[in-house]
Structures are given as structure tokens and as C-alpha cells.
């Protein structure tokens, strides 16, 4: 019997379901918003660092002040991936593949907030949001051109172009720096963490944070490797393999697997913090129970509300959590400079939203918020490796179910 389902059946005997639940819109923002203007990277075209549709890449920069004047926080935007021509063509005509369709002002909240009461450790840093328009977590380097259609798979070049644009603006003299990101942006931090450190002064304190970016290479409920096959086609289409960690690609028989964080993490030397939900809703919906594995919709109600899950479905979710914790176990034990916050909320991305980052009712583990855990780790105030008890024990959760309209 497959070990995943064996564990699920064992857990089935002990799991009960009872937790408050709320559905929220992704567009829910705090009342007082900090809006930051877009900066286009005008020199990017010369180096071929272009979005899918050929438009210029961009970022949003809010300057630091006071004691944070020489400190920098860079946040990769998330937003899924594209792994074939139809999905990339569709993406190129949206804000996920073109700066032409992006909002010119972005809300800075959570880890990007400039309010000391909402973001106590990073509020006065230079904070940058890197816009995502390539569809491969800033790792691709290829062009598709059949004479009538042209797509630029230039995520790696975009990353380099933005960094080179920021270096003379003060990043090159950074004393402290944190590279972070959410979702596909969180995944990008795994692939650019050590490279980021190389751009900065040797005496700078450089660390990295992934929020909801620890995507597992796991089987779905029909025992297929749906996510693995998706990644393989993405890596091939966008010319990603040559930009993956070489220590990893030289070790694995299938080098494209190094796109998954679990295979590359051991080779990252820069201090790293992993923020993730053990029941990450994106992975729940796309890795564990993708549409192809649930053709009859048996999981539809469970995906919207765990209180509607059957005991067997809850047991399968508990087994998924155990799989994630087992995968992270070596990092948790042996990483002396690493940090973790693995909670049991049904959420995806918790650092950019104020209510999950740092509020009176924010999610907590051992009475510590995400902001406090990250700050304690970055500034080495105390050990910061927090792992939550299994669902439904955590009553501080903000269980966020995005409306079904993509990432």
C-alpha cells in the first residue's frame, strides 16, 4: 500500500473536524493603504530582459529612512507559472506576463508596510516589490518565435536587470538585506538567494525568506506526479535548467527536479527562513487534488471549507502535512542559521497581508506572530523554528480561501 494513503488511513481513526472558517476576497486591503509607484527598468531591453510580451520589467521602490536607510528588503511577486504555449500566450496578455496590464501603483502592507506598529523590524528599510511577468519564477532564459508569435522567457535576465538597476540606487551599499517572496515569488528566493548575496558587500548581513514557496514534489490523490510533470514541461519550455543550482543538477538523475525547493535547499549557504502552511491551499488544490485527479468533484466542498471534508479527506490532508514536515526535517534539525514558521492554517501567502503578518489577532505559534518569528530569526534575537500542531487545534488561524479565479 502507498505510504501516503497508509498514513491517511491511520490518521482517519483519530481526526475530528471543528474550526471556525471564513472566506475572504484577495482584494481585501487595510483601510489606510501605502501606494507605491511603478519604476520601469529602461535599460532592460538592451540585455533582452523582457516580459513575456516584450514589455519592460518593473519594480516598486519605497525608500528607507532613519536607521533603516542602508537596509534593503526585496520581495518577489508571485502568481503561478505557464508551462506550454497556450498558457504562456494567455499570460502574455495579462498582468502576469506584461507590465502594460499591471497596476501602476501597488499596495505595500505586511512585510512591506512603512508603519512601525504594523511592521516593527522592517518598516524603515528600503522596500522593493519585483513585478512578476515571466511565468517561471524569474529563472527562464529562452525565446519562442515561429515567425508570427514571439514570447520572451527571460525571467533570469529580468532578475539581473532589476538588481543592476537597484545597485547604484543604494542596494550596492546595503548593510542589511532580506530577499523574500510569496508563492511563485517565494520559490524564486530558493533559486536566487546565494546569487543575491554575491551582489552585496561582503560585510553585509544577507538572508532570505520564502513565503508559501516550498512546493512539494508529491503525488496527487490518484497517485500521479501531476506537479512533477508540470514542472518538467515548464523547465523545458522556458530554458530554466541552465539557471538551476549546479550542485543540485549535477547530483539528480532528473535535473529539472531542482526546480523544487526540497532538492535545492541543502545547497543554499545563505541563512534561510521558510514560512509555509502545512495545508497550503495552492498545493492542496493543485498538487494534492488537481482537477485531473478529481474529475467528479468529490473534493469540491472540502476545498472550500475543511468542515465539509469527509473524515477520509481530512486524514489525507493530515498525511500531506506529515509529508511536508518530513521533507523539512533535515533543515529543521541541522540548519543552525535557518528559521521556520510552519502553521496549520488553510492559507497561501501570509507575509504580505497585514492581518496575517502582524495584528492583534494574527496567526500565532507559541504566542508568536509571523512578523515576530521572522524578526527574531533575522536579528538573531532567539531561536525561531516554529511548527504548529495539526489542524484543527490552532484557533488563531486566518483560513484564507482565494476566490476561484487563478493566482
Amino acid at each position: 500500500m502507498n505510504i501516503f494513503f497508509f498514513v491517511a488511513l491511520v490518521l482517519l481513526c483519530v481526526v475530528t473536524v471543528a474550526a471556525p472558517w471564513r472566506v475572504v476576497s484577495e482584494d481585501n486591503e487595510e483601510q489606510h493603504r501605502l501606494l507605491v509607484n511603478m519604476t520601469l527598468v529602461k535599460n532592460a531591453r538592451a540585455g533582452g530582459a523582457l516580459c513575456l510580451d516584450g514589455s519592460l520589467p518593473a519594480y516598486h521602490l519605497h525608500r528607507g529612512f532613519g536607521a533603516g536607510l542602508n537596509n534593503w528588503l526585496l520581495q518577489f511577486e508571485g502568481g503561478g507559472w505557464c508551462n506550454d504555449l497556450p498558457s504562456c500566450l494567455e499570460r502574455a496578455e495579462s498582468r502576469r506576463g506584461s507590465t502594460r496590464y499591471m497596476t501602476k501603483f501597488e499596495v505595500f502592507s505586511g512585510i512591506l508596510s512603512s508603519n512601525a506598529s504594523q511592521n516593527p523590524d522592517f518598516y524603515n528599510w528600503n522596500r522593493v516589490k519585483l513585478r512578476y511577468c515571466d511565468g517561471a519564477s524569474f529563472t527562464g532564459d529562452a525565446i519562442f518565435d515561429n515567425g508570427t508569435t514571439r514570447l520572451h522567457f527571460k525571467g533570469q535576465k529580468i532578475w539581473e536587470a532589476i538588481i543592476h538597476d537597484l545597485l547604484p540606487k543604494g542596494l550596492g551599499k546595503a548593510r542589511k538585506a532580506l530577499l523574500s517572496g510569496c508563492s511563485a515569488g517565494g520559490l524564486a528566493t530558493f533559486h536566487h538567494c546565494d546569487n543575491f548575496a554575491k551582489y552585496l558587500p561582503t560585510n553585509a548581513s544577507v538572508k532570505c525568506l520564502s513565503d508559501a514557496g516550498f512546493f512539494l514534489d508529491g503525488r496527487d490523490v490518484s497517485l500521479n506526479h501531476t506537479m512533477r510533470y508540470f514542472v518538467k514541461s515548464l523547465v523545458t519550455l522556458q530554458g530554466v535548467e541552465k539557471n538551476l543550482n549546479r550542485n543540485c543538477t549535477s547530483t539528480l538523475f532528473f535535473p529539472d527536479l531542482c526546480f523544487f525547493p526540497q532538492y535545492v535547499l541543502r545547497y543554499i549557504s545563505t541563512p534561510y527562513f521558510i514560512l509555509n502552511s502545512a495545508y497550503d491551499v495552492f498545493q492542496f488544490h493543485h498538487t494534492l487534488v488537481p482537477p485531473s485527479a478529481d474529475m467528479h468533484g468529490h473534493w469540491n466542498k472540502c476545498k472550500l471549507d475543511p468542515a465539509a471534508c469527509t473524515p477520509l479527506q481530512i486524514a489525507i490532508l493530515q498525511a500531506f502535512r506529515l509529508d511536508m514536515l518530513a521533507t523539512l526535517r533535515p533543515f529543521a534539525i541541522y540548519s543552525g542559521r535557518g528559521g521556520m514558521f510552519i502553521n496549520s492554517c488553510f492559507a497561501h501567502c501570509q507575509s504580505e497581508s497585514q492581518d496575517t503578518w502582524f495584528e492583534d489577532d494574527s496567526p500565532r505559534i507559541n504566542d508568536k506572530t509571523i512578523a515576530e518569528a521572522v524578526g527574531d530569526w533575522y536579528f538573531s534575537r532567539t531561536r525561531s523554528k516554529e511548527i504548529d500542531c495539526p489542524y484543527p487545534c490552532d484557533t488563531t488561524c486566518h483560513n484564507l480561501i482565494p476566490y476561484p479565479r487563478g493566482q
Side-chain angles (χ1 to χ4, degrees):
M1 180 183 293
N2 180 275
I3 186 64
F4 181 87
F5 287 94
F6 175 76
V7 174
L9 289 172
V10 171
L11 289 167
L12 175 57
C13 300
V14 298
V15 170
T16 59
V17 182
W21 196 258
R22 61 194 179 106
V23 177
V24 301
S25 167
E26 290 174 339
D27 298 324
N28 185 30
E29 300 288 355
E30 65 270 25
Q31 185 176 359
H32 302 290
R33 304 188 301 170
L34 170 63
L35 294 172
V36 180
N37 195 20
M38 172 187 285
T39 299
L40 291 173
V41 184
K42 295 183 179 179
N43 294 330
R45 190 172 301 280
L50 302 173
C51 298
L52 283 172
D53 71 331
S55 58
L56 292 173
Y59 60 85
H60 302 253
L61 165 62
H62 192 254
R63 285 290 187 177
F65 55 92
L69 190 62
N70 294 312
N71 302 335
W72 287 76
L73 189 154
L74 275 62
Q75 176 87 352
F76 284 115
E77 182 180 29
W81 312 273
C82 64
N83 69 322
D84 55 30
L85 291 178
S87 63
C88 290
L89 286 168
E90 180 180 3
R91 191 181 183 94
E93 297 180 353
S94 74
R95 66 187 178 94
R96 297 303 189 195
S98 172
T99 49
R100 296 187 180 101
Y101 299 100
M102 291 180 181
T103 55
K104 300 307 182 272
F105 289 86
E106 275 290 291
V107 175
F108 273 29
S109 63
I111 197 171
L112 295 175
S113 172
S114 62
N115 188 325
S117 67
Q118 297 178 332
N119 187 25
D121 285 311
F122 307 108
Y123 73 97
N124 58 355
W125 287 30
N126 296 281
R127 285 150 290 108
V128 187
K129 185 168 188 176
L130 285 64
R131 300 308 299 268
Y132 182 36
C133 65
D134 64 279
S137 291
F138 295 84
T139 61
D141 189 7
I143 290 178
F144 171 80
D145 191 343
N146 64 1
T148 58
T149 301
R150 187 178 179 89
L151 287 171
H152 302 262
F153 301 122
K154 292 293 181 178
Q156 178 69 30
K157 296 290 186 183
I158 290 172
W159 157 249
E160 295 168 0
I162 291 177
I163 289 295
H164 285 292
D165 204 61
L166 291 171
L167 287 173
K169 295 183 178 181
L171 178 62
K173 297 180 180 179
R175 294 179 181 175
K176 294 182 175 66
L178 177 63
L179 181 66
S180 63
C182 154
S183 189
L187 177 61
T189 66
F190 287 99
H191 298 304
H192 295 298
C193 182
D194 284 344
N195 177 250
F196 178 59
K198 292 177 181 178
Y199 283 108
L200 303 184
T202 55
N203 61 346
S205 173
V206 185
K207 301 186 179 184
C208 302
L209 159 69
S210 169
D211 175 11
F214 197 77
F215 295 95
L216 290 175
D217 173 29
R219 294 180 184 270
D220 61 34
V221 292
S222 63
L223 302 184
N224 290 319
H225 277 292
T226 301
M227 196 66 179
R228 179 183 291 188
Y229 296 138
F230 179 94
V231 163
K232 181 177 180 61
S233 57
L234 182 157
V235 168
T236 301
L237 175 68
Q238 298 217 29
V240 170
E241 184 177 322
K242 58 180 171 286
N243 295 319
L244 298 176
N245 186 287
R246 292 182 181 179
N247 291 322
C248 181
T249 56
S250 64
T251 302
L252 294 186
F253 186 76
F254 298 107
D256 53 273
L257 290 178
C258 294
F259 194 74
F260 287 102
Q262 67 196 74
Y263 301 114
V264 74
L265 180 59
R266 71 185 68 179
Y267 301 110
I268 298 174
S269 58
T270 307
Y272 212 96
F273 191 100
I274 298 176
L275 163 62
N276 229 93
S277 167
Y279 308 98
D280 181 275
V281 292
F282 181 87
Q283 296 194 62
F284 173 15
H285 294 186
H286 298 275
T287 300
L288 181 62
V289 193
S292 61
D294 186 32
M295 301 296 288
H296 299 290
H298 296 304
W299 284 80
N300 287 353
K301 292 181 179 179
C302 179
K303 284 182 175 182
L304 291 175
D305 181 354
C309 298
T310 66
L312 177 59
Q313 288 171 336
I314 288 291
I316 290 172
L317 287 167
Q318 301 292 22
F320 183 81
R321 169 183 177 271
L322 291 179
D323 187 28
M324 178 172 288
L325 295 182
T327 304
L328 286 168
R329 182 174 173 80
F331 177 78
I333 295 174
Y334 300 114
S335 175
R337 298 186 299 167
M340 297 172 62
F341 192 98
I342 310 298
N343 63 7
S344 293
C345 307
F346 284 78
H348 184 68
C349 291
Q350 300 177 87
S351 64
E352 294 180 348
S353 297
Q354 195 59 53
D355 60 346
T356 50
W357 175 248
F358 190 67
E359 291 282 13
D360 291 341
D361 64 344
S362 290
R364 283 171 164 76
I365 302 178
N366 296 323
D367 202 33
K368 184 181 290 188
T369 64
I370 294 169
E372 290 168 328
V374 172
D376 285 349
W377 160 77
Y378 187 92
F379 294 100
S380 302
R381 292 190 290 248
T382 184
R383 181 183 183 275
S384 192
K385 289 182 178 177
E386 309 292 346
I387 298 177
D388 211 352
C389 51
Y391 171 84
C393 72
D394 189 341
T395 59
T396 70
C397 278
H398 290 206
N399 292 314
L400 309 176
I401 297 291
Y403 291 149
R405 54 185 180 190
Q407 277 216 102

